[in-house]
């Protein structure tokens, strides 16, 4: 497969424009030195503003092509798509040390309404993006709120038809749960390919993000809504835990890789300067409030976790069991983040609290037959930490809170009742929103997990897609949307299953399949 040339990028953009959706016109007007090949994005919405992002990259797959000089980038925010009512504007400096990315933290806007934004640099205009401020804390909590969540978008294994569908939905925000890029090549029936090998230095990670962000459907979903983003493992290295990975056991060597990976993540995400890494460290977890309807507790499940139990430095893929996985000192989030999460769950709740975290929280005995086998990279390798989180969710429910856990990573759709004891009542409900493209488990493995874990109420691994969540004063509705054929960029996307969760009564209620 040939390298992604500028001519090919232009063809992709023109093909996207022909589909007719306003946010699929992202590359149609590119010139030979257009710096906005990676589109625009917004994120971390607040009642008075949000973060606006772009990166100048006329040669996106060859390091960006901007040289070393800083470039002034002007930005505008308007109340209308035609920019007749501009309400905020200014300039930012795109510097080489951040790959000529800009992160504009807009303030002074009105809560709970849409805005449009654009950038100008080097004589070129960016695509127009649409964003939305969060509702004010005083807003009526009966107003519904709608968001999508997604994860796992291995570029080689499929096209992003799911994002084309997502961009056409009436959403307030998107939550991305990690594996935005993949550092390694794997899977079968590739429809496109990574450029270069496994990145370990900043230049390689920058080019990998640029490759993914040239996709017009991903650009469309970014341009249509504000995003909240966290990471999982493939943004750095498969199955890494804190300061080691199965591929790089030496902590010093691995932390250098992690520093490069975190830097590239920041350069390509619509996040504030407070999330900018300091070497191999970055604080990205936090609470995001949307009026009195919703609190999103966005977590980091990789940076602080204990090393894998039972496997002695091997890959976390083999199923295992040992007393060490039950050790009380083991933590999935790390002590500081655990304490933060406990405080948030103890605070006066919004009508709904969503814990956004990377992987299946519910216990999942995966081994066939009477023996037990668990995946040590998931929550089953951190059983005591999960018990502490479930205790916090139970106390949250007792105070009148309604909690959902939204998860990614495992490349399958799941709906689960979260219980502290196997036969106990549900204290919260978990939904795993499949994968945008990444290949999933076999039907036999899914059937085995459903048979051995009765709290797993629904599972399907043969379809790719994402989840839609609608929250209101009466309850929650979740829709799993599946791509008919992820190997086809124009594939249809349709509902696969719908669920409801009543306010004050956690537990999965399957409505349709």
């Amino acid at each position: 497969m040939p390298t992604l040339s500028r001519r090919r990028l232009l063809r992709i953009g023109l093909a996207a424009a022909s589909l007719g959706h306003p946010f699929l016109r992202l590359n149609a007007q590119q010139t030979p030195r257009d710096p906005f090949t990676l589109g625009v994005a917004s994120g971390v919405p607040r009642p008075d503003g949000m973060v606006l992002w772009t990166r100048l990259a006329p040669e996106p797959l060859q390091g960006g092509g901007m040289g070393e000089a800083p470039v002034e980038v002007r930005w505008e925010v308007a109340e209308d798509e035609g920019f007749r009512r501009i309400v905020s504007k200014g300039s930012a400096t795109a510097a080489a040390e951040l790959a000529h990315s800009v992160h504009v933290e807009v303030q002074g806007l009105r809560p709970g309404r849409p805005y449009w934004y654009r950038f100008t640099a080097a004589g070129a205009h960016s695509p127009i993006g649409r964003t939305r401020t969060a509702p004010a804390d005083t807003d009526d909590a009966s107003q519904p709120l709608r968001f999508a969540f997604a994860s796992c978008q291995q570029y080689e294994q499929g096209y992003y038809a799911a994002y084309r569908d997502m961009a056409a939905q009436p959403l307030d925000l998107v939550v991305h749960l990690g594996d935005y890029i993949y550092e390694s090549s794997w899977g079968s029936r590739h429809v496109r390919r990574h450029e270069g090998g496994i990145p370990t230095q900043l230049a390689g990670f920058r080019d990998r993000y640029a490759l993914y962000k040239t996709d017009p459907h991903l650009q469309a979903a970014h341009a249509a809504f504000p995003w909240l983003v966290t990471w999982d493992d493939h943004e750095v290295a498969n199955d890494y835990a804190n300061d080691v990975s199965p591929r790089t056991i030496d902590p010093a060597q691995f932390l250098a890789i992690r520093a490069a990976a975190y830097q590239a993540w920041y350069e390509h995400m619509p996040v504030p300067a407070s999330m900018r890494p300091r070497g191999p460290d970055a604080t990205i977890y936090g609470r995001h409030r949307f009026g009195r309807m919703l609190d999103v507790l966005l977590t980091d499940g990789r940076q602080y976790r204990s090393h894998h139990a039972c496997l002695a430095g091997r890959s976390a893929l083999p199923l295992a069991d040992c007393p060490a996985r039950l050790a009380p000192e083991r933590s999935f989030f790390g002590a500081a983040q655990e304490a933060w999460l406990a405080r948030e769950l103890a605070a006066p709740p919004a009508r709904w609290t969503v814990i956004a975290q990377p992987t299946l929280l519910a216990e999942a005995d995966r081994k066939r037959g009477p023996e037990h086998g668990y995946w040590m990279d998931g929550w089953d390798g951190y059983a005591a930490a999960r018990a502490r989180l479930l205790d916090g969710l139970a106390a949250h429910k007792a105070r009148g809170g309604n909690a959902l856990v939204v998860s990614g990573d495992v490349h399958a759709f799941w709906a689960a009742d979260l219980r502290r004891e196997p036969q106990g009542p549900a204290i919260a409900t978990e939904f795993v929103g499949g994968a945008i493209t990444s290949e999933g488990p076999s039907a036999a493995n899914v059937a085995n997990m459903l048979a051995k874990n009765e709290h797993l109420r629904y599972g399907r691994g043969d379809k790719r897609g994402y989840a839609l969540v609608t929250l209101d004063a009466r309850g929650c509705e979740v829709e799993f949307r599946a791509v008919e054929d992820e190997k086809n960029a124009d594939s249809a996307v349709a509902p696969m299953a719908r669920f409801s969760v009543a306010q004050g009564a956690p537990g999965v209620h399957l409505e349709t399949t």
Side-chain angles (χ1 to χ4, degrees), residues 40-46 50-53 117 130-132 147-153 160 162-164 166-167 171-180 213 217-230 265 268-272 275 288 290 296 298 436:
V40 299
S42 68
V44 195
R46 306 178 312 277
M50 72 292 294
V51 177
L52 305 181
W53 172 92
Y117 63 96
R130 180 184 64 198
T131 188
R132 190 175 187 88
F147 71 92
F149 67 93
S151 65
C152 306
Q153 52 197 47
Y160 294 160
Y163 281 129
R164 184 197 71 234
M166 186 187 293
L171 302 178
D172 294 287
L173 73 150
V174 172
V175 180
H176 197 284
L177 298 168
D179 292 345
Y180 189 99
K213 292 180 83 72
H217 296 149
L218 177 58
Q219 289 191 18
H222 269 300
F225 319 107
W227 284 38
L228 295 176
V229 292
T230 186
W265 178 89
H268 291 85
M269 293 295 118
V271 296
M275 294 187 184
H288 304 272
F290 295 83
V296 177
L298 193 70
I436 293 291

Side-chain angles (χ1 to χ4, degrees), residues 41 155 176 464:
Y155 180 86
H176 197 284
R464 314 278 72 79

